[in-house]
Amino acid sequence: MNYGYAIGASGVLAAMHRQDVAANNLANVTTTGFKMDLGATVPREAARVEDGLYNLPSNKLLERLGAGVLLAPTRTVFEQGPIETTGKPLDVAIRGDGFLAVGGAGAGGTQTVRYTRDGRMTLDPRGTLVSVTDGSPVLDAQNNAIRLDPGQKIAIDGDGTIRQGGREVARLAFVDIADRTALRKAGANRFDVPAAALASSAPARGSIVQEAIEGSAVDPIRAMMAVQSAANAVSASLRMMSMHDELTGRAISQLGRIS
């Protein structure tokens, strides 16, 4: 394949990925507790360097041109979102570091624990504290479901302690994960945490704010600009591929012509 054509193709694929990531951020500007993602790329080394074939002859000029780009792992940015007051006693926002634990159905009917910054909660008909989004149980410090008395006032302290009638009845699982890079988005604004990373979890250093939620941490203007920037990069790489295709056609039809 034409070398310039291959570089252009890698640029198209990388820019399309960046555009997808930026578009997903833009679609979640109103999602409670959403954390934006960053789509990144890394320059690809020349083939001789990439494969460690330093004993082979090469063209230094071509190596200086580079070999296009490769996708880097998408990174989640855990910036604080705005705290928005709702007045609902079962809404909680997290100020600072920390996550709430939510139970859900895993493969084979097993219970999985996922972590979220979305603190919108309610009580189901049995008095179980559940997530507003899908009814998954909100868990306590021992990863058990929490049951409350719907007829009593509910107060939630900054450390996650739940009180009714002036006494402690439960405590929200409110933890922080030291290695944030290990967190993987699992849909529904939640994160999966590998067992190795979970072993290093610790009580959260942030605080819980009752009757409030944390808004999306996405800046809509920056997200729109990121989508447009990636779209421009796609167009530029496609033009580069078109130019190399045209040059190849000229080389075949004109330079190779026998007069």
Side-chain angles (χ1 to χ4, degrees), residues 87-172:
K88 299 178 181 178
L90 288 178
D91 281 350
V92 295
I94 298 174
R95 178 180 284 119
D97 296 331
F99 298 88
L100 301 175
V102 179
T110 59
Q111 172 96 344
T112 61
V113 179
R114 290 187 169 132
Y115 295 84
T116 184
R117 301 270 298 191
D118 186 347
R120 294 174 297 166
M121 304 179 293
T122 189
L123 295 179
D124 70 5
R126 295 179 298 174
T128 303
L129 191 64
V130 297
S131 169
V132 167
T133 56
D134 63 357
S136 298
V138 179
L139 306 180
D140 64 11
Q142 287 73 44
N143 287 337
N144 297 318
I146 298 172
R147 283 191 169 83
L148 303 175
D149 182 354
Q152 292 194 49
K153 183 178 179 181
I154 299 171
I156 304 176
D157 297 342
D159 62 355
T161 300
I162 302 176
R163 302 181 187 275
Q164 288 190 295
R167 65 184 182 89
E168 179 179 338
V169 294
R171 184 186 293 266
L172 293 170

Side-chain angles (χ1 to χ4, degrees), residues 4-246:
Y5 201 87
I7 292 177
S10 70
V12 169
L13 293 175
M16 288 178 65
H17 173 71
R18 286 172 44 218
Q19 188 175 25
D20 289 342
V21 171
N24 183 64
N25 289 336
L26 187 60
N28 285 280
V29 293
T30 60
T31 301
T32 302
F34 183 81
K35 302 303 176 186
M36 67 178 291
D37 294 320
L38 288 180
T41 60
V42 292
R44 184 175 183 179
E45 300 286 357
R48 187 175 68 97
V49 178
E50 186 175 79
D51 297 335
L53 303 175
Y54 296 102
N55 59 310
L56 296 181
S58 180
N59 186 303
K60 292 184 178 181
L61 177 60
L62 287 179
E63 289 193 4
R64 288 176 59 191
L65 289 175
V69 293
L70 294 173
L71 292 175
T74 300
R75 184 168 64 89
T76 301
V77 181
F78 291 93
E79 291 182 352
Q80 176 73 51
I83 303 297
E84 304 168 0
T85 302
T86 66
K88 299 178 181 178
L90 288 178
D91 281 350
V92 295
I94 298 174
R95 178 180 284 119
D97 296 331
F99 298 88
L100 301 175
V102 179
T110 59
Q111 172 96 344
T112 61
V113 179
R114 290 187 169 132
Y115 295 84
T116 184
R117 301 270 298 191
D118 186 347
R120 294 174 297 166
M121 304 179 293
T122 189
L123 295 179
D124 70 5
R126 295 179 298 174
T128 303
L129 191 64
V130 297
S131 169
V132 167
T133 56
D134 63 357
S136 298
V138 179
L139 306 180
D140 64 11
Q142 287 73 44
N143 287 337
N144 297 318
I146 298 172
R147 283 191 169 83
L148 303 175
D149 182 354
Q152 292 194 49
K153 183 178 179 181
I154 299 171
I156 304 176
D157 297 342
D159 62 355
T161 300
I162 302 176
R163 302 181 187 275
Q164 288 190 295
R167 65 184 182 89
E168 179 179 338
V169 294
R171 184 186 293 266
L172 293 170
F174 184 39
V175 301
D176 194 19
I177 310 299
D179 183 12
R180 297 283 179 84
T181 61
L183 273 64
R184 294 290 180 268
K185 288 190 174 182
N189 206 12
R190 294 172 188 169
F191 295 91
D192 277 330
V193 184
L198 192 58
S200 64
S201 64
R205 294 173 294 176
S207 62
I208 289 178
V209 182
Q210 190 179 11
E211 299 188 359
I213 58 173
E214 180 189 10
S216 174
V218 177
D219 183 332
I221 302 301
R222 289 172 57 188
M224 289 178 62
M225 292 177 65
V227 171
Q228 187 59 53
S229 174
N232 292 340
V234 171
S235 298
S237 296
L238 287 172
R239 286 197 299 271
M240 178 179 175
M241 294 177 66
S242 178
M243 289 172 59
H244 280 279
D245 188 50
E246 183 181 345

